[in-house]
Amino acid sequence: MLYRENGQFKTSYSADSQIFPIRQDAIFIVLLLALAFVGVPLLASEYLFRAILIPFLILSLAALGLNVLVGYCGQISLGTGAFMAVGAYAAYNFHVRLEGLPLILSLLGGGFCATLVGVFFGIPSLRIRGLYLAVATLAAQFFCDWAFLRIKWFTHDSTSGNVSVSDLQVFGLPIETPVQKYLFCLSVLALFALLTKNLVRSAVGREWMAMRDMDVAASVIGIRPVYAKLSAFAVSSFIVGVAGALWGFVHLGSWEPAAFSIDRSFQLLFMVIIGGLGSISGAFFGAAFIIVLPILLNQIPHWLGIPLGTETAAHLEFMIFGALIVFFLIVEPHGIARLWATAKEKLRLWPFPH
């Protein structure tokens, strides 16, 4: 009976178009952010920060960027790992070649370079779509893997392609401990999630969704396909590039091109599909599913006292994980975000029948 909107009248256009039209949703988000910013740093262990929370936040940001392109604009991409690599290596070059450049500007510079690469590889979307576009973006993955491994300038003349960063600071505050890294990633994610939510609700976002639903009809009513598709590639690549820079700078500290392989691209695509296409919350649900589930599948046999060899446990984890993905896509193809929306709709009507 607590989740009701009775008496919550909308008396202006701004009130009717706000992000959270139901007051309880706004209260829930405020409490969730308070728990994330205050409660978690006080309660979580170092292992939880390093193994789950920090990777979850960064991959949620990358899935958020991919969802802009795939979920809202309907353009398939298999090169997300490449755009993350561009963001990471570009931010690294800004960081080491421009001495004294603030960390935030290095991260944003990495996102800007990823934007340029994303728009370049997004040009084929003006003429092709579907599987052909997926293959075109896959070419970006192979090209970036080769470039960062063979062209030594990108890695500051490192022979192995391995680069590293240290002594990170933001506004004079060090980013060294797991709690500091967590709070920094959480702040970046919250900011980008808010900006993306407002962007998809704007005229640009409506153009993306029109192109996704039927691009021919969108062109007839005056929407420019060149602007809509390339702007989606630009925004998506920028967010993914910043996420890649965070993954290298904050989570790994030292990385090589294999950290952004094609496996990363498929992992992010699975996050978007399982979490929910065309949904901001879907990026968070998908990232949580992909990160937490393998850890649980690996730990459950130990909790139950079932003796399993390391190799057997690894194969069993892949089998169960793949089966769950297929099962979930059959049961709810619109993702976990749709299940969450359905649960809220039923809660608003409970205990009355509908």
Side-chain angles (χ1 to χ4, degrees), residues 45-47 49-50 54 176-183:
S45 63
E46 182 176 347
Y47 168 78
F49 281 118
R50 294 185 182 276
I54 294 176
E176 298 177 355
T177 66
V179 174
Q180 293 170 340
K181 293 180 179 179
Y182 164 79
L183 291 175

Side-chain angles (χ1 to χ4, degrees), residues 159-228:
T159 57
S160 63
N162 193 332
V163 298
S164 61
V165 293
S166 59
D167 300 329
L168 302 180
Q169 293 184 355
V170 176
F171 301 119
L173 302 176
I175 308 295
E176 298 177 355
T177 66
V179 174
Q180 293 170 340
K181 293 180 179 179
Y182 164 79
L183 291 175
F184 178 64
C185 294
L186 180 61
S187 301
V188 174
L189 176 60
L191 177 61
F192 273 91
L194 178 61
L195 295 177
T196 306
K197 180 64 175 179
N198 282 286
L199 185 60
V200 298
R201 295 166 65 240
S202 66
V204 176
R206 290 192 292 269
E207 289 183 357
W208 293 344
M209 289 181 277
M211 296 301 300
R212 174 197 63 190
D213 296 337
M214 187 173 293
D215 54 354
V216 176
S219 301
V220 170
I221 63 176
I223 295 176
R224 296 170 293 172
V226 175
Y227 175 79

